[in-house]
Amino acid sequence: MADLNRQRLLNLLTIPGNNTCAECGEPDPEWASCTIGIFLCERCAGLHRSLGTDYSRVKSIRLDNWDTDHVKNMEAMGNEKANALHEKHRPAFYKKPTRSDPPILHKEWVNAKYSRKEFDVVDKQLSYTSSTKEGILMKRGKDDKKYNRRKFILSRSENKMIYYPKDTITSSTKPKAEICLDDINLVFVPDKMQHANGMQISYLLKGSTRNIFVYTDDSKDIVDWYLAIRAAKLERRRIAFPDRDEKDLAEDLTQDFLMEGYLSKMGPRNEPFKRRWFSLDKRKLMYYEDKLNPFPKGERFIGHRDGGFSVSMRAADVRVPHGYTFTLHMPNRDFILCAETREDMDQWICALQRVIETPLTPQDTKVASQLVHKRHESFITMKK
Ligand SMILES: [Zn+2]
């Protein structure tokens, strides 16, 4: 009987939808929740286990014993059917995490879906769906590098997020910054900040990218901020483009980095290579002296191939003692860059090529004009 049950279970894995993890899409799941009736990868099985057996009972597909009732439950449900049920009213701004997302998003996803049942009812009123949100975030100081308690307020009607130089405010306290939500980007960066709940907020300030680094000790709290900002941005897009599909509008509410890491960069007049932290987002290549700097030391818009952008593996005339050199060609300058490993170089070239091959959107053109404008200014200043 045990063999027969196992065979019935293994047969289920060949059904489309069951061959990837129900939560994150990782292929070849080895685990299952026998009470919910879904197949899971190892990481998501761990998250289900921490929900407690009232919500989910986790078993190994191959190593545990399966009784007939549990197998029947798996046959009756399966990943697609179970997700249609448990994600029925997931708001479009609530991104389902993928394999590459950091652990915090996976943890809060599973908690929201099963223990808090946030997707069971239409338009459930939650902390991230209300039109304003206030709270304290731990923010890294611009100069002192320490994290301090700072008051943040999000207002949908004013389309902005404000933060203050203190954690308590009176009517006379002046904000430190007012950030327009149209320009804001959010990325969870636990490794970079060395904090599991670390989030990078970026926006454009006078034509340059400005970063602030924040966290809260409670993972739900920081994810709520992330969701509240995504919700506010989607609502604005919905008003601006009422005929467009909501799923399309929610597509790039926030943009993860395409690549980040150390590269060495040669100066514009062939000065020696300097090691810098590079970040590539949708179309901007930024470099920093330190990875947690509030402003990049330099940033360039990466345009389309037709605009004179390309990448090549060369720099034969440049003497490099260590590393793997490649060149990013731009209409008015070549960037000679040096990766520390062959693998790093391949990944950077691949990521840059993908950007260069992607056609420009109207939003990209807007970003380009803001950054280009700044470059023109410095050019004019130089000529004086
Ligand atoms: Zn998974």
Side-chain angles (χ1 to χ4, degrees):
M1 189 54 128
D3 283 351
L4 186 66
N5 279 346
R6 174 116 38 230
Q7 196 48 54
R8 282 169 66 183
L9 202 57
L10 293 174
N11 288 346
L12 289 178
L13 286 172
T14 61
I15 296 171
N18 289 348
N19 53 356
T20 56
C21 170
E23 309 299 357
C24 74
E26 172 126 3
D28 305 322
E30 292 281 335
W31 299 84
S33 167
C34 61
T35 44
I36 298 172
I38 51 172
F39 295 96
L40 297 165
C41 74
E42 190 174 1
R43 173 164 69 171
C44 297
L47 293 171
H48 270 257
R49 221 176 273 119
S50 61
L51 288 170
T53 47
D54 285 351
Y55 294 101
S56 185
R57 245 179 95 186
V58 177
K59 280 171 168 262
S60 163
I61 298 171
R62 285 163 211 279
L63 303 175
D64 284 328
N65 287 323
W66 283 79
D67 60 38
T68 309
D69 282 349
H70 283 149
V71 173
K72 274 188 184 161
N73 196 31
M74 296 300 295
E75 284 172 340
M77 206 40 103
N79 286 3
E80 283 186 1
K81 199 170 166 189
N83 278 346
L85 189 73
H86 295 285
E87 296 172 20
K88 192 172 181 188
H89 299 295
R90 170 173 68 97
F93 63 80
Y94 204 126
K95 192 178 80 146
K96 182 167 180 167
T98 60
R99 283 191 284 163
S100 55
D101 279 313
I104 180 175
L105 287 176
H106 289 265
K107 178 183 159 199
E108 288 311 318
W109 165 260
V110 166
N111 286 336
K113 187 170 163 183
Y114 301 103
S115 62
R116 296 194 294 267
K117 300 194 188 305
E118 290 178 9
F119 313 140
D120 282 15
V121 187
V122 195
D123 295 331
K124 198 167 181 176
Q125 290 305 301
L126 296 154
S127 141
Y128 54 78
T129 57
S130 74
S131 57
T132 56
K133 183 168 169 63
E134 284 190 38
I136 305 293
L137 299 179
M138 298 301 292
K139 179 191 162 291
R140 191 177 196 264
K142 198 172 126 205
D143 303 312
D144 68 3
K145 298 176 185 175
K146 276 196 303 218
Y147 285 87
N148 302 297
R149 289 167 54 85
R150 294 290 179 256
K151 172 106 176 168
F152 281 73
I153 299 176
L154 172 75
S155 164
R156 274 199 206 187
S157 59
E158 293 179 73
N159 192 37
K160 66 186 180 189
M161 183 161 83
I162 305 168
Y163 76 91
Y164 292 86
K166 295 174 179 180
D167 58 354
T168 49
I169 56 166
T170 64
S171 54
S172 62
T173 314
K174 285 210 167 65
K176 179 89 179 156
E178 296 192 6
I179 308 166
C180 172
L181 297 182
D182 295 341
D183 298 331
I184 206 168
N185 190 37
L186 311 166
V187 190
F188 280 98
V189 288
D191 296 338
K192 197 156 93 173
M193 282 173 63
Q194 296 188 306
H195 193 291
N197 305 342
M199 184 170 82
Q200 178 169 349
I201 302 174
S202 307
Y203 59 99
L204 279 175
L205 182 67
K206 293 176 191 153
S208 177
T209 299
R210 163 80 161 109
N211 302 306
I212 52 179
F213 297 92
V214 295
Y215 72 85
T216 57
D217 286 322
D218 177 5
S219 59
K220 180 180 181 295
D221 198 13
I222 194 80
V223 172
D224 277 358
W225 277 97
Y226 177 76
L227 294 168
I229 293 168
R230 286 177 58 95
K233 289 183 84 165
L234 179 60
E235 187 184 78
R236 225 173 122 75
R237 288 185 188 184
R238 226 186 260 141
I239 294 164
F241 308 101
D243 301 330
R244 277 183 58 189
D245 186 58
E246 198 178 45
K247 277 202 185 97
D248 291 342
L249 294 177
E251 198 54 28
D252 54 355
L253 289 170
T254 53
Q255 173 74 43
D256 291 342
F257 295 117
L258 301 172
M259 266 301 278
E260 277 209 300
Y262 283 109
L263 290 172
S264 295
K265 177 185 145 304
M266 192 189 226
R269 283 167 288 279
N270 290 10
E271 295 97 330
F273 279 88
K274 285 199 177 104
R275 194 168 185 255
R276 300 284 183 233
W277 177 265
F278 276 76
S279 295
L280 176 65
D281 79 1
K282 199 178 169 203
R283 285 223 99 108
K284 270 187 303 178
L285 183 68
M286 296 157 274
Y287 54 94
Y288 299 87
E289 256 179 26
D290 180 273
K291 52 189 167 184
L292 298 182
N293 280 154
F295 294 100
K297 206 166 165 58
E299 59 185 324
R300 288 290 183 278
F301 181 81
I302 310 292
H304 186 255
R305 154 168 63 86
D306 294 346
F309 291 84
S310 63
V311 204
S312 65
M313 268 172 66
R314 55 127 245 160
D317 50 336
V318 181
R319 286 224 334 262
V320 191
H322 307 287
Y324 298 83
T325 312
F326 62 100
T327 306
L328 170 63
H329 306 280
M330 292 199 265
N332 45 11
R333 185 178 159 190
D334 282 357
F335 264 85
I336 299 174
L337 300 164
C338 181
E340 283 161 24
T341 66
R342 171 85 207 209
E343 197 190 349
D344 275 0
M345 180 185 74
D346 290 345
Q347 284 181 358
W348 274 104
I349 290 178
C350 190
L352 286 164
Q353 263 165 353
R354 259 204 314 272
V355 174
I356 288 165
E357 292 300 323
T358 308
L360 298 177
T361 64
Q363 179 62 27
D364 293 337
T365 316
K366 188 184 155 202
V367 172
S369 68
Q370 284 161 322
L371 292 180
V372 169
H373 179 63
K374 190 190 159 211
R375 201 162 65 217
H376 280 174
E377 269 180 359
S378 61
F379 181 61
I380 294 161
T381 322
M382 260 163 54
K383 272 177 67 169
K384 273 181 197 166

